[in-house]
């Protein structure tokens, strides 16, 4: 699947964001190794802390459906449902992706002009902590 296609699915998922407190809506589309796409949006909470990001929603949906190997993720987000530039995944979501993805895992963001900006997990989370560090 092309990065632009996955970004379009992420933009659709963003429409379902529940973000009444920040008004910052985010959508994610996670492509599984099976070819199935898992969509996620941010889901906020009045107590703030229990809020969940779009990327983690997508990862948790996938893992709970039995898929643990992933090909790529696309993320689209912005204030007031109008993304103007790239919405990079937060640090917690990068760490959650680390659990299931290797350094070469592609992360697509949408630039203001609509084009895809491609990064790898290794670029966005260098020198990361993973299960390998727990193996003594
Ligand atoms: N958010 C995401 O869903 N993903 C990100 O990568 C960045 C932040 C959400 C969390 C919160 O609901 C809102 O955007 C503002 O931080």
């Amino acid at each position: 699947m092309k990065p632009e296609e996955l970004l379009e699915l992420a933009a659709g998922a963003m429409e379902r964001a529940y973000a009444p407190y920040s008004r910052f809506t985010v959508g994610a589309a996670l492509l599984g190794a099976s070819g199935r796409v898992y969509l996620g949006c941010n889901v906020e909470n009045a107590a703030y802390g229990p809020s969940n990001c779009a990327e983690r929603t997508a990862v948790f949906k996938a893992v709970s459906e039995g898929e643990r190997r992933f090909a790529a993720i696309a993320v689209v987000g912005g204030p007031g449902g109008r993304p103007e530039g790239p919405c990079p995944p937060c640090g917690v979501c990068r760490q959650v992706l680390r659990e299931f993805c290797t350094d070469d895992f592609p992360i697509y963001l949408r630039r203001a002009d609509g084009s895809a900006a491609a990064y790898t997990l290794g670029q966005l989370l260098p020198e990361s902590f993973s299960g390998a560090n727990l193996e003594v």
Side-chain angles (χ1 to χ4, degrees), residues 79-133:
R82 290 182 305 279
E84 282 147 20
C87 175
C90 81
V92 173
C93 289
R94 294 176 197 205
Q95 182 65 31
V96 167
L97 288 167
R98 161 87 294 164
E99 189 67 24
F100 301 102
C101 307
T102 48
D103 271 347
D104 57 354
F105 176 74
I107 297 173
Y108 304 126
L109 309 180
R110 198 165 70 177
R111 294 196 188 93
D113 66 4
S115 64
Y119 301 90
T120 64
L121 182 60
Q123 284 176 309
L124 298 189
L125 194 68
E127 304 299 333
S128 62
F129 186 87
S130 72
N133 297 99

Side-chain angles (χ1 to χ4, degrees), residues 55-69:
E55 299 90 322
R56 274 178 286 154
T57 302
V59 171
F60 297 156
K61 279 175 70 179
V63 173
S64 63
E65 294 287 325
E67 185 131 31
R68 293 181 184 173
R69 293 195 307 119

Side-chain angles (χ1 to χ4, degrees), residues 18-19 22 24-27 41-44 51-55 75 87-90 93:
Y18 176 73
S22 73
F24 191 98
T25 58
V26 186
C41 62
N42 53 332
V43 182
E44 296 185 347
S51 301
N52 205 50
C53 289
E55 299 90 322
V75 185
C87 175
C90 81
C93 289

